Coordinates of all heavy atoms in Angstrom, one line a residue:
H1 N 2.8 58.8 8.8 CA 3.2 58.0 10.0 C 4.5 58.6 10.5 O 5.4 59.0 9.7 CB 3.4 56.5 9.7 CG 4.0 55.8 10.8 ND1 3.4 55.5 12.0 CD2 5.2 55.3 10.9 CE1 4.2 54.9 12.7 NE2 5.4 54.7 12.1
H2 N 4.6 58.8 11.8 CA 5.7 59.3 12.4 C 6.8 58.0 12.6 O 6.3 57.1 13.2 CB 5.5 59.8 13.8 CG 4.7 61.1 13.8 ND1 3.4 61.1 13.7 CD2 5.1 62.4 13.8 CE1 2.9 62.3 13.7 NE2 4.0 63.2 13.8
V3 N 7.9 58.1 11.9 CA 8.8 57.0 12.2 C 9.3 56.9 13.6 O 9.3 55.8 14.2 CB 10.1 57.3 11.2 CG1 11.2 56.1 11.5 CG2 9.7 57.3 9.8
D4 N 9.7 58.0 14.2 CA 9.9 58.0 15.7 C 8.6 58.5 16.3 O 8.2 59.6 16.0 CB 11.0 58.9 16.1 CG 12.4 58.4 15.5 OD1 12.6 57.1 15.6 OD2 13.2 59.2 15.2
E5 N 7.9 57.6 16.9 CA 6.5 58.0 17.4 C 6.4 59.3 18.2 O 7.2 59.7 19.0 CB 6.1 56.9 18.4 CG 5.8 55.6 17.8 CD 4.7 55.6 16.7 OE1 3.7 56.3 16.9 OE2 4.8 54.9 15.7
W6 N 5.4 60.1 17.7 CA 5.2 61.5 18.3 C 4.9 61.3 19.8 O 5.4 62.1 20.6 CB 3.9 62.1 17.5 CG 3.5 63.4 18.1 CD1 4.1 64.5 17.8 CD2 2.5 63.6 19.1 NE1 3.5 65.6 18.6 CE2 2.4 64.9 19.4 CE3 1.5 62.8 19.7 CZ2 1.6 65.6 20.2 CZ3 0.6 63.4 20.5 CH2 0.7 64.7 20.9
A7 N 4.1 60.2 20.2 CA 3.7 60.1 21.6 C 5.0 59.8 22.4 O 5.0 60.0 23.8 CB 2.8 58.9 21.7
K8 N 6.1 59.5 21.7 CA 7.4 59.1 22.6 C 8.4 60.3 22.3 O 9.6 60.0 22.4 CB 7.9 57.7 22.2 CG 6.9 56.7 22.5 CD 7.5 55.3 22.1 CE 6.6 54.2 22.5 NZ 7.1 52.9 22.1
G9 N 7.9 61.4 21.8 CA 8.9 62.5 21.6 C 9.3 62.7 20.2 O 10.2 63.5 20.0
G10 N 8.8 61.9 19.3 CA 9.2 62.0 17.9 C 8.9 63.4 17.3 O 7.8 63.9 17.7
R11 N 9.6 63.9 16.4 CA 9.3 65.2 15.8 C 8.3 65.0 14.8 O 8.0 64.1 14.2 CB 10.6 65.7 15.1 CG 11.8 65.9 16.0 CD 13.1 66.2 15.2 NE 13.2 65.6 13.8 CZ 13.6 64.5 13.5 NH1 14.0 63.6 14.4 NH2 13.6 64.1 12.2
T12 N 7.5 66.1 14.7 CA 6.5 66.2 13.6 C 7.1 67.1 12.5 O 6.6 68.3 12.3 CB 5.1 66.8 14.1 OG1 4.7 65.9 15.2 CG2 4.1 66.8 13.1
D13 N 8.0 66.6 11.7 CA 8.5 67.3 10.6 C 8.7 66.4 9.5 O 8.7 65.2 9.7 CB 9.8 68.1 10.9 CG 10.8 67.3 11.5 OD1 11.0 66.2 11.1 OD2 11.7 67.8 12.2
I14 N 9.0 66.8 8.3 CA 9.1 66.0 7.1 C 10.2 64.9 7.2 O 10.0 63.7 6.6 CB 9.4 66.9 5.8 CG1 9.1 66.1 4.6 CG2 10.8 67.4 5.8 CD1 7.6 65.7 4.3
D15 N 11.3 65.2 8.0 CA 12.3 64.1 8.1 C 11.9 62.9 9.0 O 12.6 61.9 9.0 CB 13.6 64.7 8.7 CG 14.2 65.7 7.8 OD1 13.9 65.5 6.4 OD2 14.8 66.8 8.2
N16 N 10.9 63.1 9.7 CA 10.4 62.0 10.6 C 9.0 61.5 10.2 O 8.3 60.8 10.9 CB 10.2 62.5 12.0 CG 10.0 61.4 13.0 OD1 10.6 60.3 13.0 ND2 9.0 61.6 14.0
L17 N 8.6 61.7 9.0 CA 7.3 61.4 8.5 C 7.4 60.5 7.2 O 8.4 60.6 6.4 CB 6.3 62.4 8.1 CG 6.0 63.4 9.3 CD1 5.3 64.6 8.8 CD2 5.3 62.8 10.3
T18 N 6.5 59.5 7.1 CA 6.5 58.7 5.8 C 5.1 58.3 5.4 O 4.2 58.4 6.3 CB 7.3 57.3 6.1 OG1 7.4 56.6 4.9 CG2 6.6 56.5 7.2
L19 N 4.8 58.1 4.2 CA 3.5 57.8 3.6 C 3.1 56.4 4.0 O 3.9 55.4 3.8 CB 3.4 58.0 2.3 CG 3.6 59.5 1.7 CD1 3.7 59.5 0.2 CD2 2.6 60.4 2.3
V20 N 1.9 56.2 4.6 CA 1.5 54.9 4.9 C 0.0 54.9 4.6 O -0.7 55.8 4.9 CB 1.7 54.5 6.4 CG1 1.3 53.1 6.8 CG2 3.2 54.8 6.8
C21 N -0.5 53.8 4.0 CA -2.0 53.7 3.8 C -2.6 53.4 5.1 O -2.0 53.0 6.0 CB -2.3 52.6 2.8 SG -1.9 50.9 3.3
D22 N -3.9 53.6 5.2 CA -4.6 53.4 6.5 C -4.5 52.0 7.0 O -4.3 51.8 8.2 CB -6.1 53.7 6.3 CG -6.4 55.3 6.1 OD1 -5.5 56.0 6.5 OD2 -7.5 55.6 5.7
H23 N -4.5 51.0 6.1 CA -4.5 49.6 6.6 C -3.0 49.4 7.2 O -3.0 48.7 8.3 CB -4.7 48.7 5.5 CG -4.5 47.2 5.8 ND1 -5.4 46.6 6.6 CD2 -3.5 46.4 5.6 CE1 -4.9 45.3 6.8 NE2 -3.8 45.2 6.2
C24 N -2.0 49.8 6.5 CA -0.7 49.6 7.1 C -0.4 50.3 8.4 O 0.2 49.8 9.3 CB 0.5 49.9 6.0 SG 0.5 48.9 4.6
H25 N -0.9 51.6 8.4 CA -0.7 52.5 9.6 C -1.4 51.8 10.8 O -0.8 51.8 11.9 CB -1.3 53.8 9.4 CG -0.9 54.8 10.4 ND1 -1.7 55.3 11.3 CD2 0.3 55.4 10.6 CE1 -1.1 56.2 12.1 NE2 0.1 56.2 11.7
A26 N -2.5 51.1 10.6 CA -3.1 50.4 11.8 C -2.2 49.3 12.3 O -2.4 48.8 13.5 CB -4.4 50.0 11.4
Q27 N -1.3 48.8 11.5 CA -0.5 47.6 11.9 C 0.8 48.1 12.7 O 1.4 47.3 13.3 CB 0.0 46.9 10.6 CG -1.1 46.4 9.8 CD -2.1 45.5 10.5 OE1 -1.7 44.6 11.2 NE2 -3.3 45.7 10.2
V28 N 1.0 49.3 12.7 CA 2.2 49.9 13.4 C 1.8 50.2 14.9 O 1.1 51.2 15.2 CB 2.8 51.2 12.7 CG1 4.0 51.6 13.5 CG2 3.2 50.9 11.3
H29 N 2.3 49.4 15.9 CA 2.1 49.6 17.2 C 3.1 48.8 18.1 O 3.8 48.0 17.5 CB 0.6 49.3 17.6 CG 0.2 47.9 17.2 ND1 0.5 46.8 18.1 CD2 -0.5 47.4 16.2 CE1 0.0 45.7 17.6 NE2 -0.6 46.0 16.4
D30 N 3.2 49.0 19.4 CA 4.0 48.3 20.3 C 3.5 47.0 20.8 O 4.3 46.4 21.5 CB 4.5 49.2 21.4 CG 5.3 50.4 21.0 OD1 6.1 50.2 20.0 OD2 5.4 51.4 21.7
G31 N 2.2 46.8 20.6 CA 1.7 45.5 21.1 C 2.1 44.3 20.4 O 2.8 44.3 19.4
P32 N 1.6 43.2 20.9 CA 1.9 41.9 20.2 C 1.5 41.9 18.7 O 0.3 42.4 18.5 CB 1.1 40.8 20.8 CG 0.7 41.6 22.2 CD 0.7 43.0 22.0
G33 N 2.2 41.5 17.8 CA 1.8 41.5 16.4 C 2.0 42.8 15.7 O 1.8 43.0 14.5
G34 N 2.6 43.8 16.4 CA 2.8 45.1 15.9 C 4.0 45.2 15.0 O 4.9 44.6 15.2
W35 N 3.9 46.1 14.0 CA 5.0 46.4 13.1 C 5.8 47.6 13.7 O 5.2 48.5 14.3 CB 4.5 46.7 11.7 CG 4.1 45.5 11.1 CD1 2.9 44.8 11.2 CD2 4.7 44.9 9.8 NE1 2.9 43.7 10.4 CE2 3.9 43.7 9.4 CE3 5.9 45.2 9.1 CZ2 4.3 42.9 8.4 CZ3 6.1 44.3 8.1 CH2 5.3 43.2 7.7
K36 N 7.1 47.7 13.3 CA 8.0 48.9 13.8 C 8.5 49.5 12.4 O 8.5 48.9 11.4 CB 9.1 48.4 14.6 CG 8.8 47.4 15.7 CD 8.1 48.2 16.8 CE 7.8 47.2 18.0 NZ 6.4 47.0 18.2
T37 N 8.8 50.7 12.5 CA 9.4 51.5 11.5 C 10.8 52.0 11.9 O 11.0 52.5 13.0 CB 8.6 52.6 10.9 OG1 8.3 53.6 12.1 CG2 7.3 52.1 10.3
V38 N 11.8 52.1 11.0 CA 13.0 52.7 11.2 C 13.4 53.4 10.0 O 12.9 53.2 8.9 CB 14.1 51.6 11.5 CG1 13.8 50.8 12.8 CG2 14.3 50.7 10.4
V39 N 14.3 54.3 10.1 CA 15.0 55.0 8.8 C 16.1 54.2 8.5 O 17.0 53.8 9.2 CB 15.4 56.5 9.2 CG1 16.0 57.1 8.0 CG2 14.1 57.2 9.7
M40 N 16.1 53.8 7.2 CA 17.2 52.9 6.7 C 18.6 53.8 6.6 O 18.5 54.9 6.3 CB 16.9 52.5 5.2 CG 15.6 51.6 5.2 SD 15.8 50.1 6.0 CE 16.6 49.1 5.0
G41 N 19.6 53.2 7.2 CA 20.9 53.8 7.3 C 21.6 54.1 6.0 O 21.3 53.5 4.9
P42 N 22.8 54.8 6.0 CA 23.5 55.2 4.7 C 24.1 53.9 4.2 O 24.5 54.0 2.9 CB 24.5 56.2 5.2 CG 24.6 56.0 6.7 CD 23.2 55.5 7.3
D43 N 24.3 52.9 4.9 CA 24.9 51.7 4.3 C 23.9 50.7 3.7 O 24.3 49.7 3.2 CB 25.7 50.9 5.4 CG 24.9 50.6 6.6 OD1 23.8 51.2 6.9 OD2 25.2 49.6 7.3
S44 N 22.6 51.1 3.8 CA 21.6 50.2 3.2 C 21.5 50.6 1.7 O 22.0 51.5 1.2 CB 20.3 50.4 3.8 OG 19.7 51.7 3.4
G45 N 20.7 49.7 1.0 CA 20.4 50.0 -0.4 C 19.4 51.1 -0.7 O 19.3 51.6 -1.7
F46 N 18.8 51.5 0.4 CA 17.9 52.6 0.3 C 17.9 53.5 1.5 O 17.1 53.7 2.3 CB 16.4 51.9 0.3 CG 16.3 50.9 -0.8 CD1 16.5 49.5 -0.4 CD2 16.0 51.2 -2.0 CE1 16.3 48.4 -1.3 CE2 15.8 50.2 -2.9 CZ 16.0 48.9 -2.7
P47 N 19.0 54.3 1.5 CA 19.3 55.2 2.7 C 18.3 56.3 2.7 O 17.7 56.8 1.8 CB 20.6 55.8 2.3 CG 20.9 55.6 0.9 CD 20.2 54.4 0.5
G48 N 17.8 56.6 4.0 CA 16.8 57.4 4.3 C 15.3 57.1 4.1 O 14.4 57.8 4.5
R49 N 15.1 55.9 3.5 CA 13.9 55.4 3.3 C 13.2 54.7 4.6 O 14.1 54.5 5.5 CB 13.9 54.3 2.3 CG 14.1 54.9 0.9 CD 12.8 55.1 0.1 NE 13.0 55.7 -1.2 CZ 13.1 55.0 -2.3 NH1 13.0 53.7 -2.3 NH2 13.4 55.6 -3.4
T50 N 12.0 54.6 4.6 CA 11.4 53.8 5.8 C 11.6 52.4 5.8 O 11.2 51.7 4.7 CB 9.9 54.2 5.9 OG1 9.8 55.7 6.0 CG2 9.3 53.5 7.2
G51 N 12.1 51.7 6.7 CA 12.2 50.3 6.8 C 11.2 49.8 7.7 O 10.9 50.3 8.8
W52 N 10.5 48.7 7.3 CA 9.4 48.1 8.0 C 9.9 46.8 8.6 O 10.5 46.0 8.0 CB 8.3 47.8 7.1 CG 7.6 49.1 6.5 CD1 8.0 49.8 5.5 CD2 6.6 49.8 7.2 NE1 7.3 50.9 5.3 CE2 6.4 51.0 6.3 CE3 5.8 49.6 8.2 CZ2 5.4 51.9 6.6 CZ3 4.8 50.6 8.5 CH2 4.6 51.7 7.7
I53 N 9.7 46.6 9.9 CA 10.1 45.4 10.6 C 8.8 44.7 11.1 O 8.0 45.2 12.0 CB 11.0 45.7 11.8 CG1 12.3 46.5 11.4 CG2 11.4 44.4 12.6 CD1 13.0 47.0 12.5
G54 N 8.5 43.6 10.6 CA 7.4 42.8 10.9 C 7.5 42.3 12.3 O 8.6 42.0 12.8
P55 N 6.5 41.7 12.8 CA 6.4 41.1 14.2 C 7.3 39.7 14.1 O 7.5 39.2 12.9 CB 5.0 40.9 14.5 CG 4.3 41.0 13.3 CD 5.0 41.9 12.3
P56 N 7.7 39.2 15.1 CA 8.5 38.0 15.1 C 8.0 36.8 14.3 O 8.8 36.2 13.7 CB 8.7 37.7 16.6 CG 8.6 39.0 17.3 CD 7.5 39.7 16.5
H57 N 6.7 36.8 14.3 CA 6.2 35.5 13.6 C 6.2 35.7 12.1 O 6.0 34.8 11.3 CB 4.7 35.2 14.1 CG 3.7 36.3 13.6 ND1 3.6 37.4 14.4 CD2 2.8 36.4 12.6 CE1 2.6 38.1 13.8 NE2 2.1 37.5 12.8
I58 N 6.5 37.0 11.6 CA 6.6 37.2 10.2 C 8.0 37.5 9.8 O 8.5 37.0 8.8 CB 5.7 38.5 9.8 CG1 4.2 38.2 10.0 CG2 5.9 39.0 8.5 CD1 3.3 39.4 9.8
N59 N 8.8 38.2 10.6 CA 10.0 38.5 10.4 C 11.0 38.2 11.7 O 11.3 39.1 12.4 CB 10.2 40.0 10.1 CG 11.6 40.5 9.7 OD1 12.6 39.7 9.8 ND2 11.6 41.7 9.3
P60 N 11.3 36.9 11.9 CA 12.1 36.5 13.1 C 13.4 37.1 13.3 O 13.8 37.4 14.3 CB 12.2 35.0 13.0 CG 11.7 34.6 11.6 CD 11.0 35.8 10.9
T61 N 14.0 37.6 12.2 CA 15.3 38.3 12.3 C 15.2 39.7 12.6 O 16.2 40.3 13.0 CB 16.1 38.1 11.0 OG1 15.5 38.9 9.9 CG2 16.3 36.7 10.6
G62 N 14.1 40.3 12.4 CA 13.9 41.8 12.7 C 14.6 42.6 11.7 O 15.0 43.8 11.9
T63 N 14.9 42.1 10.5 CA 15.6 42.9 9.4 C 14.6 43.8 8.7 O 13.6 43.4 8.2 CB 16.1 41.9 8.3 OG1 16.9 41.0 9.0 CG2 16.9 42.6 7.3
P64 N 14.8 45.1 8.8 CA 13.9 46.1 8.1 C 13.9 45.9 6.6 O 14.9 45.6 6.0 CB 14.5 47.5 8.5 CG 15.8 47.2 9.2 CD 16.0 45.7 9.3
Q65 N 12.7 46.0 6.0 CA 12.5 45.9 4.6 C 11.8 47.2 4.1 O 10.9 47.7 4.8 CB 11.5 44.7 4.3 CG 12.1 43.4 4.9 CD 13.3 42.9 4.1 OE1 13.4 43.1 2.9 NE2 14.3 42.4 4.8
V66 N 12.3 47.5 2.9 CA 11.5 48.7 2.3 C 10.3 48.2 1.5 O 10.4 47.2 0.7 CB 12.5 49.5 1.3 CG1 11.8 50.5 0.6 CG2 13.6 50.0 2.1
N67 N 9.2 48.8 1.7 CA 7.9 48.5 0.9 C 8.0 49.2 -0.4 O 7.7 50.5 -0.4 CB 6.8 48.8 1.7 CG 5.5 48.4 1.1 OD1 5.4 48.0 -0.1 ND2 4.3 48.4 1.8
H68 N 8.2 48.5 -1.4 CA 8.4 49.3 -2.8 C 7.1 49.8 -3.4 O 7.2 50.5 -4.3 CB 9.3 48.5 -3.7 CG 10.6 48.2 -3.2 ND1 11.6 49.2 -3.2 CD2 11.2 47.1 -2.6 CE1 12.7 48.7 -2.8 NE2 12.6 47.4 -2.4
I69 N 6.0 49.2 -2.8 CA 4.7 49.7 -3.4 C 4.5 51.2 -3.1 O 3.7 51.7 -3.9 CB 3.6 48.7 -2.8 CG1 2.4 48.9 -3.8 CG2 3.3 49.2 -1.4 CD1 1.4 47.8 -3.6
H70 N 5.2 51.7 -2.2 CA 5.0 53.2 -1.9 C 5.9 54.0 -2.8 O 6.1 55.2 -2.6 CB 5.2 53.4 -0.5 CG 4.2 52.8 0.5 ND1 2.8 53.0 0.3 CD2 4.3 51.8 1.4 CE1 2.2 52.4 1.3 NE2 3.1 51.6 1.9
H71 N 6.6 53.4 -3.8 CA 7.5 54.1 -4.7 C 7.2 53.8 -6.1 O 8.0 53.1 -6.8 CB 9.0 53.7 -4.3 CG 9.4 54.0 -2.8 ND1 9.6 55.3 -2.5 CD2 9.4 53.3 -1.8 CE1 9.9 55.3 -1.1 NE2 9.7 54.1 -0.7
P72 N 6.1 54.2 -6.6 CA 5.5 53.9 -8.0 C 6.5 54.2 -9.1 O 6.6 53.5 -10.1 CB 4.2 54.5 -8.1 CG 4.2 55.6 -7.1 CD 5.1 55.2 -6.0
L73 N 7.3 55.3 -8.9 CA 8.1 55.6 -10.1 C 9.2 54.6 -10.2 O 9.6 54.3 -11.4 CB 8.6 57.1 -9.9 CG 7.5 58.2 -10.0 CD1 8.3 59.5 -9.7 CD2 6.8 58.2 -11.4
E74 N 9.7 54.1 -9.1 CA 10.7 53.1 -9.3 C 10.1 51.8 -9.8 O 10.8 51.1 -10.6 CB 11.2 52.7 -7.9 CG 12.2 53.9 -7.3 CD 12.8 53.6 -6.0 OE1 12.6 52.5 -5.5 OE2 13.4 54.6 -5.5
Q75 N 8.9 51.5 -9.4 CA 8.3 50.3 -10.1 C 8.1 50.5 -11.5 O 8.4 49.6 -12.3 CB 6.9 50.0 -9.4 CG 7.0 49.6 -8.0 CD 5.6 49.3 -7.4 OE1 4.6 49.7 -8.0 NE2 5.6 48.6 -6.3
K76 N 7.8 51.6 -11.8 CA 7.6 51.9 -13.5 C 8.9 51.8 -14.1 O 9.0 51.2 -15.2 CB 7.0 53.3 -13.6 CG 6.8 53.8 -15.1 CD 6.2 55.1 -15.2 CE 6.2 55.6 -16.6 NZ 5.7 56.9 -16.8
A77 N 10.0 52.4 -13.5 CA 11.4 52.2 -14.1 C 11.8 50.8 -14.2 O 12.3 50.4 -15.3 CB 12.3 53.1 -13.3
A78 N 11.5 50.0 -13.2 CA 11.9 48.7 -13.2 C 11.1 47.9 -14.3 O 11.7 47.0 -15.0 CB 11.7 48.0 -11.9
A79 N 9.9 48.1 -14.4 CA 9.0 47.5 -15.4 C 9.5 47.9 -16.9 O 9.6 47.0 -17.8 CB 7.5 47.9 -15.3
L80 N 9.8 49.1 -17.1 CA 10.3 49.6 -18.3 C 11.6 48.9 -18.7 O 11.9 48.5 -19.8 CB 10.3 51.1 -18.4 CG 9.1 51.9 -18.4 CD1 9.3 53.4 -18.3 CD2 8.4 51.5 -19.7
A81 N 12.5 48.8 -17.8 CA 13.8 48.0 -17.9 C 13.6 46.7 -18.3 O 14.2 46.1 -19.3 CB 14.7 48.1 -16.7
R82 N 12.6 46.0 -17.6 CA 12.3 44.5 -18.1 C 11.8 44.5 -19.5 O 12.2 43.6 -20.3 CB 11.4 44.0 -17.0 CG 11.9 43.7 -15.7 CD 11.1 42.8 -14.9 NE 9.7 43.4 -14.6 CZ 9.4 44.3 -13.7 NH1 10.4 44.6 -12.7 NH2 8.1 44.8 -13.4
I83 N 10.9 45.5 -19.8 CA 10.4 45.5 -21.2 C 11.4 45.7 -22.2 O 11.4 45.0 -23.2 CB 9.2 46.5 -21.3 CG1 8.0 46.1 -20.4 CG2 8.9 46.8 -22.8 CD1 7.0 47.2 -20.3
R84 N 12.3 46.7 -21.9 CA 13.3 47.0 -22.9 C 14.3 45.7 -23.0 O 14.7 45.4 -24.2 CB 14.2 48.1 -22.4 CG 13.5 49.5 -22.6 CD 14.3 50.6 -22.2 NE 13.5 51.9 -22.3 CZ 13.2 52.5 -21.2 NH1 13.6 52.2 -20.0 NH2 12.4 53.6 -21.3
A85 N 14.7 45.1 -22.0 CA 15.5 43.8 -22.0 C 14.8 42.8 -22.8 O 15.4 42.1 -23.6 CB 15.8 43.4 -20.6
R86 N 13.5 42.6 -22.7 CA 12.8 41.5 -23.4 C 12.8 41.9 -24.9 O 13.0 41.0 -25.7 CB 11.3 41.5 -22.8 CG 10.5 40.3 -23.5 CD 9.2 40.4 -23.2 NE 8.6 41.6 -23.8 CZ 7.6 42.4 -23.3 NH1 7.0 42.0 -22.2 NH2 7.2 43.4 -23.9
N87 N 12.6 43.2 -25.2 CA 12.5 43.6 -26.6 C 13.9 43.4 -27.3 O 14.0 43.0 -28.4 CB 12.1 45.0 -26.7 CG 10.6 45.2 -26.4 OD1 9.7 44.2 -26.3 ND2 10.2 46.5 -26.1
E88 N 15.0 43.7 -26.5 CA 16.3 43.5 -27.0 C 16.5 42.0 -27.3 O 17.1 41.6 -28.3 CB 17.3 44.0 -26.1 CG 17.5 45.5 -26.0 CD 17.9 46.1 -27.3 OE1 18.8 45.6 -27.9 OE2 17.5 47.2 -27.7
R89 N 16.1 41.1 -26.4 CA 16.3 39.6 -26.6 C 15.5 39.2 -27.8 O 16.0 38.4 -28.6 CB 15.8 38.9 -25.4 CG 16.7 38.9 -24.2 CD 16.4 38.0 -23.2 NE 15.0 38.0 -22.7 CZ 14.5 38.9 -21.8 NH1 15.4 39.7 -21.0 NH2 13.2 38.8 -21.4
E90 N 14.3 39.8 -27.9 CA 13.4 39.3 -29.2 C 14.0 39.8 -30.5 O 14.1 39.1 -31.4 CB 12.0 39.8 -28.9 CG 11.3 39.0 -27.9 CD 9.9 39.6 -27.7 OE1 9.4 40.4 -28.4 OE2 9.2 39.0 -26.6
L91 N 14.5 41.0 -30.3 CA 15.1 41.6 -31.6 C 16.4 40.8 -32.0 O 16.6 40.5 -33.2 CB 15.5 43.0 -31.4 CG 16.1 43.8 -32.6 CD1 15.1 43.7 -33.8 CD2 16.4 45.3 -32.2
K92 N 17.2 40.4 -31.0 CA 18.4 39.7 -31.3 C 18.0 38.2 -31.9 O 18.6 37.8 -32.8 CB 19.2 39.5 -30.0 CG 20.5 38.8 -30.1 CD 21.2 38.8 -28.8 CE 22.6 38.2 -28.9 NZ 23.3 38.2 -27.7
R93 N 17.0 37.6 -31.4 CA 16.6 36.4 -31.8 C 16.0 36.4 -33.2 O 16.3 35.7 -34.0 CB 15.5 35.8 -30.8 CG 15.2 34.4 -31.1 CD 14.1 33.8 -30.3 NE 12.9 34.6 -30.5 CZ 11.9 34.6 -29.7 NH1 11.9 33.9 -28.6 NH2 10.9 35.3 -30.0
F94 N 15.3 37.6 -33.4 CA 14.7 37.8 -34.7 C 15.8 37.9 -35.9 O 15.8 37.5 -37.0 CB 13.9 39.0 -34.8 CG 13.2 39.5 -36.2 CD1 12.2 38.7 -36.6 CD2 13.8 40.5 -36.8 CE1 11.7 39.1 -38.0 CE2 13.3 40.8 -38.1 CZ 12.2 40.1 -38.6
R95 N 16.9 38.7 -35.5 CA 18.0 39.0 -36.4 C 18.7 37.7 -36.7 O 19.4 37.6 -37.7 CB 18.9 40.1 -35.8 CG 18.3 41.4 -35.9 CD 19.2 42.4 -35.3 NE 18.6 43.7 -35.4 CZ 19.0 44.9 -34.7 NH1 20.0 44.7 -33.8 NH2 18.5 45.9 -34.8
Q96 N 18.8 36.8 -35.8 CA 19.5 35.5 -36.1 C 18.7 34.7 -37.0 O 19.1 33.9 -37.8 CB 19.7 34.7 -34.7 CG 20.7 35.3 -33.8 CD 20.7 34.7 -32.5 OE1 19.9 33.8 -32.1 NE2 21.7 35.0 -31.7

């Protein structure tokens, strides 16, 4: 997906592209109910990532959100951190 739409002069290079599944890509449009995309700024928690802005009936504030499902390595790291924390708690409880 072109973050800045190609039809509106957006570049076709790696800095302006993001991965989107077919279903999500069909949701990005200027019409009613359409989603928007932006590049998250340097002050965000995810600089350079694609931020998704849902239509007003879903996201009335227009606040961009990062879809973490498109970042499986981060999901894996978070899951491993939760498992390690759980194991540490169980080990501590066992030692008591």
Side-chain angles (χ1 to χ4, degrees):
H1 170 71
H2 293 83
V3 177
D4 295 322
E5 292 295 328
W6 176 81
K8 295 179 181 178
R11 301 174 329 274
T12 301
D13 59 30
I14 196 68
D15 294 330
N16 191 43
L17 299 175
T18 188
L19 296 174
V20 183
C21 67
D22 287 343
H23 176 76
C24 291
H25 194 250
Q27 306 299 317
V28 180
H29 57 82
D30 289 334
W35 287 69
K36 311 289 183 242
T37 56
V38 297
V39 177
M40 300 296 281
D43 58 335
S44 77
F46 305 96
R49 293 263 178 96
T50 301
W52 296 86
I53 303 171
H57 70 279
I58 294 174
N59 183 353
T61 65
T63 305
Q65 303 291 318
V66 173
N67 184 350
H68 297 286
I69 201 161
H70 296 298
H71 302 281
L73 293 179
E74 288 179 6
Q75 289 182 346
K76 179 181 176 184
L80 289 172
R82 288 190 303 271
I83 290 168
R84 288 185 188 113
R86 184 193 66 211
N87 290 346
E88 288 292 324
R89 286 190 308 270
E90 291 177 4
L91 183 58
K92 186 177 181 179
R93 189 180 65 193
F94 176 76
R95 288 180 178 160
Q96 292 174 347

